[in-house]
Amino acid sequence: MSQNNKKQVHHPDISNDVCPLPLPPRGAPPPTVYHTTRMAPTPSTSGSFDKTVIPGNARKLHVVIVIDQKVQKNLRVREMALKDVQKVADTLNVNLAKIDFDKLDFGETETLDLFYNADVALVDVTVTHQQPSLCYHIGVRESMGQSYNMILTYLAPDLEYHIMDALKKTHAHLPMIIYINSPECGMLQSYEKNGNEDDAKPPFARANSTTAKMTTFQNRLKSVLKSVQVEASAHSREKFMSDLRKAREITDGDQKNDFLDKMRTRLDNPDVLHPDTVSLMMLSYRDNQNYGGMIRLVDDLKRITDCVKVVDTPVIRYQYAFALNRRNKGGDRDLALNTVLSLIGGTTENEEKNGLLSPDVVCLAGRIYKDKFIASNYEDRDSLNSAIEWYRKAFEMSPLEYSGINLTTLLRASGEHFENNLEMQQIAVVLNSLLGRKGALQNLTEYWDVATYFEVSVLAENYQKACEAALMMVKLKPPVWYLKSTMENIKLINRCAATISPIEKEKQQFLFWSEFFMEATETDTDINCPRYPVLILELTKEFTPSYLTLNTEEGTVILSHVLETSQQKKIHQSEVKGIHRWHFTRTNIKAVTESKRDDRQLFLYVHENSDDFNLLFPTKAHCQK
């Protein structure tokens, strides 16, 4: 979820001594390999990987690197490291792709696809607060049989070695390449690997060794990557995944489902069936809100004895529980809860093997309990308390926007208030810091960043900022299920705040936005209401919240602004009210045409009016009505 123009704010997690909330590292799923052709190779004595290659059938190596370029601490050194990696990639003629940590942590489909299916993953763990998420995604790669993973880290003078010890315990089997800033030679340095040394040996142990030899970071990295070779043949699994990605180009939902169902039949091929192909298949179903397809895929694979290990991987169990909770047919939610609690329990019991628990899984447990509370008409207090506990646990593990905003919302739903609750105040500080680093609202391009800004503003009853964020949400044109998730929280907040918030101008506009988004999310119901919330695009390129009222019997259309003063103009320091309400009969309307740029917009051309109207509706269905 990267953004431009981020504000540089000191992150409280850089030092564990000043962090307001504990941040134990997040671990990975079991690094179990299930495909005979993807068994983890044994590191050679030279410190690099050896892999059999079909002669004359080589292709370019696909390498990804995750290295932070935003946190200010040691930023210059990490920039130097990235340049060195790029130089090595150019020298070896490999394909190098840089992955943004925020997008990887959020779980953006294309980013996950790129990271999980790269031949080699270089993961820089220099930024302490990113380590839990990075360790989790490394573990997912390992569970899919992607064994070529390397840890990079900067050996800073103030390095906290207990954190490095935790990484070594979790990923002792992975090569760890450190780099050191050497102002004397103007290049990053590293330690050569002796024949009897393990790459995962703690870097500080090598630094204290009398036999440690220095080399350039570029040479150290090049010696490792040179030996990593992969088969270049476009085998069935790679071809399947390449074809599956074409589904993203299909905009029609029904056509995309048909395409995915046809792709699914190719999983019958044993060379195609693998945790990474199943995971990408489920992500493709998820992006099209086809939760039934996700569930049927896993249920069918469970019936095949040889496929049990495939569907038993943590990432697929997580996606399965997510889909069950979203579909919510009879018994789905209970099965989803049992699945995620079993996943949590299994990880907790085998921390030495699996690493620490992922906050994503913990958040899903909180989400299921929250949905049970909402489904009970807000009466199931046990589910509410359980949801609070799970979101609190996730936020304590790794303070992120998703867990923080949900925890705050549920605390508010339980009757707590900002002014009297220290925990809510602390969460607000962390959330504001996280949002501030993403930049100004008008520069945000990721829906979830804007939605978090929207929800935080509503919680603080700052409706002016909430309305500004709502307009940004409309412009981003998010999928319906994104809006549904956001509006569930807004309904919870409104339920608590309705009795204490006055209907002011800003609140009146906010209620319009709530109605606009609710109309957008209720896609399963027939559109019969004669009154629609719409946005009028003015000549100034600004949107004005309005209502469109249709009277089919009389053949009339009424347009009215939410606020009567929305078109006020200042003339010689005095305000004169402009027109804010229009009444058109059938004879007044010249034509109605759809916009080619946005299927939610149409143009209303009328007689006896100086301006025509560009109207934006909640959905395409409203526009066509």
Side-chain angles (χ1 to χ4, degrees):
M1 295 179 285
S2 66
Q3 305 298 338
N4 296 327
N5 304 324
K6 282 198 174 188
K7 295 180 181 178
Q8 303 298 343
V9 182
H10 176 71
H11 198 286
D13 308 340
I14 298 300
S15 170
N16 287 348
D17 297 332
V18 298
C19 179
L21 296 169
L23 286 173
R26 174 165 61 181
T32 307
V33 181
Y34 299 116
H35 200 281
T36 55
T37 63
R38 301 300 296 267
M39 294 299 291
T42 303
S44 68
T45 57
S46 65
S48 55
F49 295 104
D50 293 326
K51 191 171 180 179
T52 303
V53 182
I54 300 174
N57 203 14
R59 65 166 170 84
K60 279 190 176 183
L61 199 68
H62 292 279
V63 181
V64 295
I65 181 169
V66 185
I67 183 168
D68 185 87
Q69 299 289 286
K70 299 167 186 172
V71 176
Q72 284 297 292
K73 185 175 181 181
N74 300 320
L75 175 59
R76 189 179 67 85
V77 181
R78 293 195 304 277
E79 290 175 341
M80 294 172 63
L82 179 59
K83 290 180 180 178
D84 282 358
V85 173
Q86 185 63 62
K87 289 178 182 177
V88 172
D90 295 339
T91 302
L92 299 179
N93 194 27
V94 302
N95 291 325
L96 178 68
K98 180 181 176 296
I99 288 181
D100 186 272
F101 167 78
D102 287 335
K103 291 187 177 181
L104 180 67
D105 186 67
F106 167 68
E108 183 182 83
T109 301
E110 290 189 15
T111 303
L112 291 178
D113 181 15
L114 181 63
F115 182 80
Y116 291 156
N117 296 291
D119 298 321
V120 181
L122 305 177
V123 181
D124 188 285
V125 297
T126 303
V127 181
T128 306
H129 75 271
Q130 295 179 358
Q131 291 176 2
S133 180
L134 293 173
C135 288
Y136 168 72
H137 289 291
I138 290 174
V140 173
R141 272 182 57 88
E142 291 178 329
S143 73
M144 293 176 173
Q146 298 283 29
S147 53
Y148 295 118
N149 307 296
M150 303 175 194
I151 294 178
L152 310 179
T153 187
Y154 170 49
L155 186 62
D158 58 345
L159 178 68
E160 297 174 354
Y161 291 139
H162 66 279
I163 297 179
M164 301 302 299
D165 281 335
L167 281 173
K168 183 177 183 297
K169 290 178 182 178
T170 307
H171 297 293
H173 55 290
L174 296 182
M176 181 181 290
I177 304 175
I178 64 103
Y179 50 93
I180 304 168
N181 187 19
S182 179
E184 296 81 11
C185 64
M187 297 181 65
L188 295 181
Q189 301 291 305
S190 185
Y191 290 105
E192 287 187 347
K193 179 183 178 297
N194 296 328
N196 59 349
E197 278 187 342
D198 189 324
D199 271 300
K201 182 176 181 180
F204 52 87
R206 293 189 192 176
N208 296 330
S209 172
T210 57
T211 61
K213 294 183 179 180
M214 300 294 293
T215 184
T216 65
F217 175 61
Q218 289 187 33
N219 287 340
R220 180 72 182 92
L221 187 62
K222 188 183 298 183
S223 67
V224 176
L225 291 180
K226 268 185 178 179
S227 300
V228 180
Q229 301 177 25
V230 294
E231 299 175 358
S233 60
H235 54 76
S236 300
R237 190 169 62 85
E238 289 184 339
K239 183 66 170 67
F240 171 86
M241 300 181 76
S242 176
D243 290 344
L244 185 57
R245 295 179 190 117
K246 295 177 182 177
R248 300 170 190 166
E249 302 171 4
I250 304 174
T251 56
D252 183 84
D254 293 335
Q255 291 181 9
K256 182 179 289 189
N257 280 329
D258 291 340
F259 178 85
L260 293 175
D261 288 341
K262 291 177 182 178
M263 289 294 300
R264 186 193 148 163
T265 61
R266 291 167 58 179
L267 290 175
D268 295 339
N269 184 347
D271 292 332
V272 172
L273 185 63
H274 191 266
D276 54 5
T277 55
V278 175
S279 177
L280 185 59
M281 189 80 206
M282 295 187 72
L283 287 173
S284 300
Y285 275 132
R286 184 201 70 178
D287 287 349
N288 205 37
Q289 302 174 58
N290 188 349
Y291 306 120
M294 298 174 68
I295 296 166
R296 286 191 297 273
L297 174 59
V298 175
D299 288 343
D300 290 345
L301 290 174
K302 283 181 178 179
R303 300 187 184 99
I304 305 173
T305 305
D306 294 340
C307 299
V308 173
K309 287 186 177 180
V310 174
V311 298
D312 198 42
T313 53
V315 65
I316 293 177
R317 292 171 66 190
Y318 169 84
Q319 292 172 350
Y320 181 64
F322 174 88
L324 284 167
N325 185 56
R326 287 284 181 175
R327 188 178 71 169
N328 192 28
K329 289 187 176 180
D332 277 357
R333 196 150 278 167
D334 290 334
L335 180 56
L337 186 59
N338 291 337
T339 301
V340 74
L341 292 180
S342 173
L343 183 57
I344 291 172
T347 306
T348 304
E349 292 172 5
N350 299 283
E351 284 187 357
E352 287 293 327
K353 178 182 178 182
N354 302 342
L356 297 179
L357 192 60
S358 163
D360 298 329
V361 179
V362 178
C363 280
L364 181 55
R367 174 58 193 255
I368 295 171
Y369 275 116
K370 185 180 86 168
D371 289 341
K372 289 169 72 74
F373 169 65
I374 294 173
S376 70
N377 196 26
Y378 310 98
E379 295 179 357
D380 186 353
R381 305 295 293 186
D382 291 337
S383 292
L384 173 61
N385 293 332
S386 296
I388 290 173
E389 287 305 312
W390 284 113
Y391 277 121
R392 178 181 287 133
K393 183 174 182 179
F395 192 75
E396 290 173 349
M397 293 173 70
S398 183
L400 296 172
E401 295 96 323
Y402 176 74
S403 54
I405 193 64
N406 278 282
L407 176 56
T408 307
T409 300
L410 292 171
L411 287 171
R412 184 71 185 87
S414 68
E416 298 291 340
H417 295 274
F418 267 107
E419 58 270 18
N420 301 323
N421 188 286
L422 181 61
E423 181 181 16
M424 294 176 71
Q425 295 170 12
Q426 291 176 337
I427 297 171
V429 171
V430 176
L431 288 178
N432 284 325
S433 176
L434 292 171
L435 288 172
R437 281 197 297 274
K438 295 180 184 297
L441 175 63
Q442 60 269 23
N443 296 327
L444 300 182
T445 57
E446 296 291 341
Y447 170 80
W448 294 113
D449 294 339
V450 181
T452 302
Y453 189 103
F454 177 61
E455 293 178 35
V456 169
S457 300
V458 176
L459 275 168
E461 298 190 37
N462 189 332
Y463 297 112
Q464 180 179 351
K465 288 186 176 180
C467 293
E468 294 172 2
L471 180 58
M472 288 292 297
M473 290 162 62
V474 171
K475 292 180 179 179
L476 291 174
K477 199 179 180 180
V480 173
W481 73 274
Y482 283 23
L483 286 174
K484 284 184 177 179
S485 180
T486 300
M487 292 312 297
E488 284 171 356
N489 276 355
I490 297 303
K491 285 191 288 186
L492 264 177
I493 298 169
N494 286 344
R495 183 179 177 85
C496 303
T499 58
I500 61 174
S501 298
I503 305 295
E504 303 165 330
K505 290 182 180 179
E506 291 80 6
K507 181 64 180 290
Q508 189 175 346
Q509 281 194 312
F510 166 72
L511 293 177
F512 162 84
W513 286 112
S514 296
E515 185 178 351
F516 188 93
F517 291 136
M518 290 305 298
E519 287 284 341
T521 58
E522 294 174 354
T523 55
D524 299 331
T525 58
D526 294 332
I527 304 172
N528 295 318
C529 179
R531 181 173 179 264
Y532 308 118
V534 296
L535 295 170
I536 299 177
L537 180 60
E538 308 288 357
L539 295 177
T540 59
K541 302 301 181 181
E542 295 181 353
F543 286 97
T544 303
S546 310
Y547 286 102
L548 175 69
T549 304
L550 296 177
N551 189 324
T552 55
E553 293 181 359
E554 298 180 2
T556 59
V557 174
I558 298 176
L559 267 176
S560 59
H561 291 146
V562 172
L563 299 180
E564 293 186 3
T565 58
S566 55
Q567 281 196 358
Q568 282 186 3
K569 300 177 182 179
K570 289 188 176 181
I571 302 176
H572 302 295
Q573 298 182 347
S574 64
E575 293 187 353
V576 179
K577 288 187 177 181
I579 302 173
H580 62 84
R581 188 177 186 275
W582 297 264
H583 184 280
F584 302 117
T585 64
R586 185 178 286 110
T587 57
N588 294 135
I589 299 174
K590 288 192 291 187
V592 176
T593 61
E594 295 182 0
S595 170
K596 295 182 179 180
R597 293 186 177 182
D598 192 331
D599 57 14
R600 301 170 299 171
Q601 283 185 266
L602 62 76
F603 297 96
L604 176 64
Y605 300 98
V606 295
H607 296 285
E608 300 177 1
N609 193 67
S610 59
D611 298 323
D612 298 310
F613 297 90
N614 186 345
L615 307 178
L616 189 147
F617 290 79
T619 66
K620 177 182 178 180
H622 286 83
C623 183
Q624 294 177 340
K625 183 69 176 180

